[in-house]
Amino acid sequence: MMELKEHFLELIRQASTDLPPDVEKRLREAYEIEDEGTPAKAVFKTILEDVEMARENSTPICQDTGTVNYFIYLPDGEKQKPYIESGIWAAREATRKYYLRPNAVDPVSGKNSGDNTGKNAPYFHFTTWDKDYVEVKLLLKGGGSENVGIQYKLPDINLNAGRDMKGVKKCVIDAVFKAQGYGCAPGTISVGIGGDRTTSYMLAKKNLFRKIGSKNENPILDEMERELEEKLNAMGIGPMGFGGKTTVLDVFIDAQHRHPATFYVSVVYNCWAYRRKTMIIKNGEVSYES
Amino acid sequence: MKVKLNIPISEEEIRKLNVGDEVSLSGIMVTARDMAHKLMHEEKPDFIRKYLENGVIYHCGPVIKKEGDEYKFVAAGPTTSIREEPYESEVICEYKVRGVIGKGGMKERTMDGLKRCGAVYFHAVGGAGSLIASRVKRVIDVFKLEEFGTPEAFWVIEVEDFPVIVTMDSKGNSLHTEILEKSRKVYEELISE
């Protein structure tokens, strides 16, 4: 039987090399609708070939294998320590096996640790829940796309955006316009409304475990997602910023209660190489899903 | 237009290319990122000269595997080019470089170098690390590996059918500027609703 740490390694391998089927399907649809002979068509063709090749050869989809973020859900009373130890071991081992590039740099000394470990690297976020099984969710988040994320504080005078959903939409449109192709478009846009500066971004990050094309449980937000997807794509930025019909793959929005004095809108941009994977441990059995 | 080009490329051939052309590159090219550009700009070293004359620079920090004495490219997509904006124009003219591959495009200073010295900016597909690595046939040489580390070293590589798109040509056209202006019109309408 494989040890827990080896399952963590397999989780990283799958996330880095095997693009989730919902993302690949959406990219394929985007390829189909572009006109022949356009740079956009050529980009999607290359992307799809890369995705197939990475899966077949078990090599990273992108050489920027991102930051390693674990979101771990544990039943009441279960200890965190074995998961932390396994998660760190797996990050080191995955670097050695070339599933990950060494991406942890000490900002003070400028030194790269060489194995993706360090303070908050890999990053762990634990939640206790009342279910009887464990879920380990992994997000490998590329640096270029992280750079184009923005947090807004409403009201925003420059955008003429007020403290309402109309104001929120303006923030999202502004963020995607400013990102152009730099975040490796087409991106998946995740928006966190409310909370404080930290929880606002966190809400958006956690929502990246939704599947492309999934419905929002809140009908108002669901309608906003559809409307924004259409408007963002109408900007015509296209894959890599070359122009085209698909600028974003999907838009996810979540909201949480805010302090009366604050109104944050956090926009997280995930590159087309949307690397997420979930491991479920139930009755000693381990399974993986995207 | 779809074009196959072999490196070294003549200035005449490069000046024929237009924004939007899909190019398949074969031959020898050199990876260079921030430290390599700073060095080429400040010290103009000669060790890399023979590979750059009528050659191509690739903005890339690869994932590399060492098998015995041989290096193998595992994942090698492009990195963001704009960081080299302070150096690129001078590097192109000093070394007679005909093409620069990267992602995100570059600005006026580089455009001036492309026009003046006869070169283009090729855009590779960001994120396509596995596919591009498979087009790297062999590593011919490496410079400054110890000093700069793996991602920043000069890797001299032989490639075959490396897929790129011309997004800045030697005539002053830039796809990046064009799309920015087009999308700005829609953006301004949407934001004023």
Side-chain angles (χ1 to χ4, degrees), chain A:
Chain A
M1 210 177 88
M2 265 164 73
E3 285 183 60
L4 181 64
K5 62 180 189 180
E6 285 160 341
H7 285 294
F8 267 80
L9 177 61
E10 174 60 11
L11 182 70
I12 296 177
R13 187 195 69 78
Q14 288 193 18
S16 176
T17 66
D18 186 7
L19 195 75
D22 55 305
V23 181
E24 191 176 353
K25 181 170 166 272
R26 182 70 182 82
L27 287 166
R28 210 165 282 284
E29 287 163 8
Y31 166 74
E32 297 295 337
I33 60 169
E34 293 293 351
D35 298 325
E36 286 295 337
T38 57
K41 189 92 172 174
V43 170
F44 282 121
K45 186 167 173 278
T46 302
I47 286 176
L48 291 167
E49 275 179 48
D50 179 64
V51 167
E52 281 171 22
M53 192 171 276
R55 184 176 293 133
E56 202 178 302
N57 301 340
S58 206
T59 49
I61 296 164
C62 175
Q63 78 288 340
D64 176 9
T65 56
T67 48
V68 181
N69 300 283
Y70 293 112
F71 298 87
I72 303 179
Y73 297 79
L74 295 177
D76 253 344
E78 183 130 11
K79 287 196 168 64
Q80 295 181 0
K81 203 177 164 200
Y83 295 92
I84 294 173
E85 285 173 356
S86 296
I88 292 173
W89 178 88
R92 282 204 176 103
E93 196 59 18
T95 315
R96 220 175 55 79
K97 287 187 179 305
Y98 310 104
Y99 302 142
L100 297 178
R101 184 178 75 177
N103 272 355
V105 180
D106 178 343
V108 182
S109 68
K111 205 172 151 19
N112 191 320
S113 69
D115 62 3
N116 279 299
T117 67
K119 188 167 181 176
N120 273 334
Y123 180 72
F124 291 90
H125 186 90
F126 281 96
T127 306
T128 301
W129 63 5
D130 55 8
K131 293 174 184 164
D132 64 350
Y133 59 92
V134 176
E135 254 185 36
V136 180
K137 293 179 178 291
L138 172 64
L139 181 70
L140 299 176
K141 181 75 173 59
S145 74
E146 189 66 3
N147 273 339
V148 298
I150 316 181
Q151 188 170 68
Y152 296 86
K153 177 173 62 111
L154 293 180
D156 185 302
I157 296 169
N158 294 329
L159 295 177
N160 191 23
R163 291 185 150 191
D164 50 24
M165 290 305 109
K166 198 176 163 191
V168 171
K169 284 186 228 171
K170 287 187 179 184
C171 296
V172 181
I173 291 165
D174 186 63
V176 173
F177 170 70
K178 286 198 175 116
Q180 290 288 305
Y182 294 112
C184 277
T188 301
I189 312 303
S190 192
V191 185
I193 310 171
D196 67 14
R197 290 203 181 265
T198 314
T199 57
S200 178
Y201 263 130
M202 186 51 90
L203 192 71
K205 277 270 166 77
K206 279 188 165 176
N207 227 6
L208 282 170
F209 287 97
R210 267 180 66 182
K211 289 203 169 50
I212 301 264
S214 62
K215 262 183 97 67
N216 194 313
E217 287 169 11
N218 179 326
I220 296 170
L221 298 182
D222 191 64
E223 200 189 314
M224 257 173 83
E225 288 177 358
R226 301 287 70 82
E227 181 191 336
L228 275 170
E229 188 182 337
E230 201 185 311
K231 286 184 169 164
L232 297 172
N233 284 330
M235 280 198 283
I237 295 164
M240 294 296 127
F242 290 178
K245 294 169 183 164
T246 306
T247 299
V248 300
L249 297 180
D250 208 345
V251 181
F252 302 146
I253 307 174
D254 206 354
Q256 61 195 342
H257 285 68
R258 60 179 177 86
H259 183 280
T262 67
F263 198 128
Y264 297 111
V265 180
S266 302
V267 183
V268 174
Y269 195 109
N270 204 100
C271 53
W272 70 258
Y274 185 175
R275 288 153 292 172
R276 61 159 146 74
K277 220 80 193 183
T278 296
M279 168 166 86
I280 298 157
I281 310 171
K282 194 171 187 176
N283 303 325
E285 295 279 320
V286 180
S287 57
Y288 302 90
E289 59 177 52
S290 57

Side-chain angles (χ1 to χ4, degrees), chain B residues 6-189:
Chain B
N6 290 312
I7 311 166
I9 313 170
S10 69
E11 185 178 345
E12 193 193 346
E13 278 177 291
I14 275 295
R15 287 199 184 270
K16 282 184 197 156
L17 295 175
N18 292 304
V19 159
D21 286 347
E22 283 177 47
V23 179
S24 174
L25 291 169
S26 298
I28 294 168
M29 60 174 68
V30 182
T31 71
R33 318 182 16 140
D34 313 345
M35 290 160 92
H37 273 83
K38 190 164 179 285
L39 183 81
M40 288 190 283
H41 189 251
E42 288 173 0
E43 296 178 21
K44 304 181 176 53
D46 286 326
F47 64 82
I48 204 69
R49 204 170 285 276
K50 70 168 174 177
Y51 294 115
L52 291 185
E53 193 169 331
N54 294 318
V56 172
I57 286 176
Y58 180 26
H59 297 156
C60 169
V63 176
I64 287 177
K65 190 190 232 172
K66 197 171 183 192
E67 286 174 340
D69 286 338
E70 286 207 14
Y71 294 104
K72 210 172 166 283
F73 272 46
V74 179
T79 192
T80 304
S81 298
I82 198 68
R83 294 193 307 269
E84 317 317 335
E85 183 69 10
Y87 317 118
E88 204 70 86
S89 176
E90 282 81 358
V91 168
I92 288 168
C93 294
E94 169 69 28
Y95 289 98
K96 301 187 177 67
V97 176
R98 296 291 164 233
V100 174
I101 310 173
K103 74 166 169 135
M106 299 182 81
K107 300 280 182 203
E108 292 76 14
R109 201 181 157 96
T110 301
M111 180 58 96
D112 175 63
L114 301 180
K115 286 196 284 192
R116 203 154 40 87
C117 298
V120 299
Y121 179 85
F122 294 115
H123 203 298
V125 175
S130 276
L131 177 97
I132 295 173
S134 77
R135 306 292 162 90
V136 177
K137 293 300 145 192
R138 65 188 177 107
V139 173
I140 289 170
D141 209 342
V142 58
F143 299 97
K144 297 281 171 189
L145 179 58
E146 283 288 305
E147 200 178 327
F148 291 176
T150 301
E152 298 280 342
F154 292 89
W155 293 93
V156 182
I157 53 177
E158 187 183 344
V159 305
E160 202 177 294
D161 294 327
F162 186 126
V164 291
I165 289 162
V166 178
T167 59
M168 293 166 70
D169 61 27
S170 59
K171 300 155 194 168
N173 303 307
S174 163
L175 183 64
H176 306 284
T177 315
E178 183 191 322
I179 298 300
L180 180 67
E181 291 319 314
K182 270 191 190 165
S183 60
R184 188 190 302 281
K185 284 193 189 124
V186 185
Y187 163 76
E188 278 167 0
E189 270 172 41

